[in-house]
Amino acid sequence: MKHYLMVFDRRSGSIVRFLEFSQAGEALTARFEAESEYSDNRDIEVVVLGASSDAALRRTHGRYFQGAREMAGSALGRLRLTEDRVSLGLC
């Protein structure tokens, strides 16, 4: 498993820092340093996430990697799929 440090600016919806680590301890140390660095900015979110690959991380935590338009389109697509399944009696 790989560990990813992500510093995310919620206001702009953009990733400020994205680093990959092979060791959880290194990722956590980097997280604590980033939290200290951005402690005065309430719009900054600092997280360490684990995943088998960058691609897997993008699938499971897409909100960090998609813009508002992409997220809305994905949500609308999922809603339509659910409505179709309900109308067919599959749910």
Side-chain angles (χ1 to χ4, degrees), residues 6-53:
M6 188 173 321
V7 179
F8 184 76
D9 185 330
R10 289 186 288 253
R11 179 172 291 214
S12 68
S14 62
I15 297 171
V16 176
R17 186 177 304 156
F18 183 75
L19 300 171
E20 179 182 314
F21 297 88
S22 59
Q23 300 295 318
E26 294 172 352
L28 290 174
T29 297
R31 174 189 173 185
F32 298 140
E33 290 171 358
E35 285 177 340
S36 177
E37 179 181 349
Y38 290 99
S39 64
D40 61 338
N41 189 337
R42 300 182 64 100
D43 294 320
I44 295 293
E45 179 179 348
V46 180
V47 296
V48 170
L49 303 167
S52 59
S53 68

